[in-house]
Amino acid sequence: MAIQSVRGMPDILPAQAGAWRYLEQQAQHVFSAYGLTQIRTPIVENTALFARSIGDVTDIVEKEMYTFEDRSGDGVALRPELTAGVVRAAMEHGLLHNQTQRLWYQGPAFRYERPQKGRYRQFHQIGVECFGISDALMDAELIEMTDQLWKRCQIRDAVTLELNSIGSPEARARYRAALVDFLSARKEHLDKDSQSRLERSPLRILDSKDESTQALLSDAPSLTDYLTDEDTEHFERLTRALEECGIEFEVNPRLVRGLDYYGRTVFEWTTQALGAQGTICGGGRYDGLVEHLGGRATPGVGFALGMERVVLLMESLDVIPDAYQTQADVYLMPQQIECESAIRKLARMLRAQFPSLRVMAHIGGGSLKSQLKKADKSGADIALIIGQMELENESVVYKPLRGGEQETLTEAELLNRISKLKDA
Ligand code: HAM
């Protein structure tokens, strides 16, 4: 039996890789337009980092982490997300010392979840973390940045923004007590999962999918009523800034997110187009995290998007430009073996003249018909053919593959034609 890939860890094949590259390029464009710099951190970190930052009693740490002992017996883990590693790196290298940082990153993360469409055990995130700025305008700018990214990826109409404030730790502690009081008195009506969460992480009950639990929650105390004045001011400043730049949002008082480090702003971008795994991006503020990990108190805010989900959404909306789904712009074909060097010379010349032109030269012989099939499959718009005659009078056959008449051109005419094509 041939060895297969590990369950939930899919390959990204050439047919999909273009969509990934498209997303990566749009993200890098947006991030550079907002003055962000990139950080790359290791895939493996000490397990304790995740337990301390994401939280001991979260699903991610309790049930989903790939942890192991390395050969010297150290407890390490495949990162289930990238924020913790970025915070660790920023602290370790003094990036937070009297300075602000606006960082972006990209890479794989690992969670032992039940695989299904849009949910994998190895998946990829693109994310941003900003340090040193507690102003809600920073939260707004991050959200604006995601909004710009959706626009560039042409998925903006398919996604909506949900927003909430989960307040400062004090507000949350008071709310938590009130919620536990309320739910304990009605424990028998809660679903099993929520019952077990009641003592350990009661806030997570708020986003239970169970209907009877949800019904019960409609009369439960609301987190919004427990926010401090500063929490409320922060949230209002954020929503005003979003309104100013025309970004619509829905305040969802039940949005709490599954990681413990958040305080105040939390948000998610969701879509109806992907079924159950509709959250394409999530983030929020984590002003207490750096201090919690042993650093000097430093505010932070960030988000991460799930690349698989954004790619699935782009595919379902059919918005990925052709250039990302084809191999070549022009396909060069020698009619006989004697024309092969002329073809390869022409290919070199075109690549030198037009650095962004994708030039494929046929290798491996075969009839003109079979070469044309390959040309078509490459996605090229144009085939260039050299036969005996063209060899003799230094010309080339220019054959449009997507409609249009075939012509014979001199080299100068060809260059002229292609430069026009590139401008178009
Ligand atoms: P998260 O909500 O756990 O947040 O993940 C962010 C995004 O990663 C999700 O919205 C989803 O699109 C994608 N994702 C998560 N798990 C999977 C999976 N098993 N398969 C496919 N996609 C998945 C975080 O990870 C935070 N670190 C975000 C953040 C950054 N907050 C502040 N800074």
Side-chain angles (χ1 to χ4, degrees), residues 37-110:
T37 48
Q38 192 184 11
I39 185 163
R40 301 177 187 235
T41 61
I43 288 169
V44 174
E45 298 273 358
N46 288 305
T47 307
L49 173 69
F50 301 117
R52 255 213 264 168
S53 54
I54 299 169
D56 280 326
V57 294
T58 55
D59 282 353
I60 296 179
V61 169
E62 271 189 333
K63 303 182 196 157
E64 297 168 3
M65 262 213 297
Y66 281 88
T67 52
F68 58 100
E69 277 188 7
D70 66 12
R71 285 176 191 275
S72 45
D74 293 333
V76 294
L78 302 184
R79 61 186 181 198
E81 55 109 56
L82 282 73
T83 308
V86 170
V87 172
R88 193 244 345 115
M91 288 167 60
E92 189 169 329
H93 301 286
L95 305 188
L96 306 180
H97 229 67
N98 298 325
Q99 37 188 332
T100 60
Q101 295 288 348
R102 302 180 188 198
L103 309 170
W104 74 273
Y105 54 78
Q106 167 187 348
F110 303 82

Side-chain angles (χ1 to χ4, degrees), residues 54 60 64 80-84 105 109-113 116 118-125 127-129 257-259 261-262 267-269 277-286 301-310:
I54 299 169
I60 296 179
E64 297 168 3
E81 55 109 56
L82 282 73
T83 308
Y105 54 78
F110 303 82
R111 294 182 195 175
Y112 193 80
E113 294 191 84
Q116 56 174 261
R119 188 165 71 194
Y120 310 97
R121 290 180 176 171
Q122 169 170 304
F123 58 100
H124 298 75
Q125 290 186 337
V128 169
E129 312 295 347
R257 312 242 327 116
L259 305 95
Y261 47 63
Y262 294 113
F267 65 93
E268 283 183 356
W269 286 96
Q277 305 306 320
T279 307
I280 62 161
C281 174
R285 185 162 273 287
Y286 49 85
V301 56
F303 68 83
L305 63 86
M307 293 185 73
E308 282 79 0
R309 293 183 191 179
V310 176

Side-chain angles (χ1 to χ4, degrees), residues 166-419:
I166 58 168
S168 49
E170 308 77 60
R172 246 178 358 267
R174 281 187 291 122
Y175 174 66
R176 189 189 152 112
L179 184 68
V180 170
D181 270 357
F182 175 88
L183 293 175
S184 299
R186 297 158 180 83
K187 191 169 175 183
E188 68 277 16
H189 301 297
L190 289 173
D191 62 284
K192 272 221 154 50
D193 249 6
S194 299
Q195 285 185 3
S196 75
R197 280 186 169 142
L198 191 53
E199 298 302 325
R200 289 146 22 92
S201 57
L203 263 58
R204 286 310 307 273
I205 297 176
L206 295 179
D207 57 19
S208 160
K209 302 274 182 289
D210 184 83
E211 273 178 29
S212 63
T213 300
Q214 276 300 329
L216 201 69
L217 285 169
S218 56
D219 298 325
S222 169
L223 181 48
T224 317
D225 298 330
Y226 287 77
L227 299 183
T228 64
D229 290 347
E230 291 78 19
D231 294 337
T232 308
E233 263 166 47
H234 187 95
F235 195 60
E236 283 173 359
R237 188 165 160 80
L238 165 62
T239 53
R240 265 199 311 277
L242 291 177
E243 277 155 11
E244 267 170 31
C245 56
I247 298 174
E248 281 178 28
F249 57 86
E250 211 177 283
V251 176
N252 174 0
R254 306 256 176 93
L255 180 67
V256 286
R257 312 242 327 116
L259 305 95
D260 279 355
Y261 47 63
Y262 294 113
R264 292 197 170 153
T265 311
V266 290
F267 65 93
E268 283 183 356
W269 286 96
T270 58
T271 178
Q272 299 296 321
L274 294 181
Q277 305 306 320
T279 307
I280 62 161
C281 174
R285 185 162 273 287
Y286 49 85
D287 291 344
L289 181 56
V290 174
E291 194 175 18
H292 184 68
L293 290 175
R296 195 187 305 169
T298 308
V301 56
F303 68 83
L305 63 86
M307 293 185 73
E308 282 79 0
R309 293 183 191 179
V310 176
V311 166
L312 278 171
L313 184 56
M314 290 193 303
E315 282 171 351
S316 79
L317 298 172
D318 199 14
V319 293
I320 300 148
D322 280 350
Y324 289 85
Q325 296 184 299
T326 56
Q327 278 177 282
D329 300 313
V330 294
Y331 196 93
L332 278 52
M333 310 183 335
Q335 209 164 1
Q336 299 95 15
I337 290 181
E338 302 81 67
C339 312
E340 280 178 341
S341 342
I343 281 292
R344 303 194 65 72
K345 190 168 159 223
L346 179 61
R348 283 195 297 276
M349 196 261 288
L350 289 176
R351 291 186 189 117
Q353 287 271 335
F354 305 103
S356 64
L357 189 71
R358 298 172 305 157
V359 180
M360 255 180 111
H362 183 83
I363 298 175
S367 68
L368 209 54
K369 192 167 160 214
S370 79
Q371 293 194 30
L372 272 170
K373 261 199 192 146
K374 295 210 167 91
D376 184 51
K377 205 168 162 221
S378 76
D381 289 323
I382 294 148
L384 299 176
I385 309 164
I386 296 183
Q388 204 57 47
M389 201 140 84
E390 290 74 32
L391 211 54
E392 276 160 27
N393 43 24
E394 294 185 359
S395 61
V396 53
V397 173
Y398 181 98
K399 183 178 170 60
L401 294 170
R402 323 275 159 205
E405 288 298 302
Q406 165 172 325
E407 294 169 74
T408 300
L409 304 177
T410 64
E411 190 180 296
E413 286 168 340
L414 174 67
L415 291 183
N416 189 21
R417 185 69 62 89
I418 291 185
S419 65

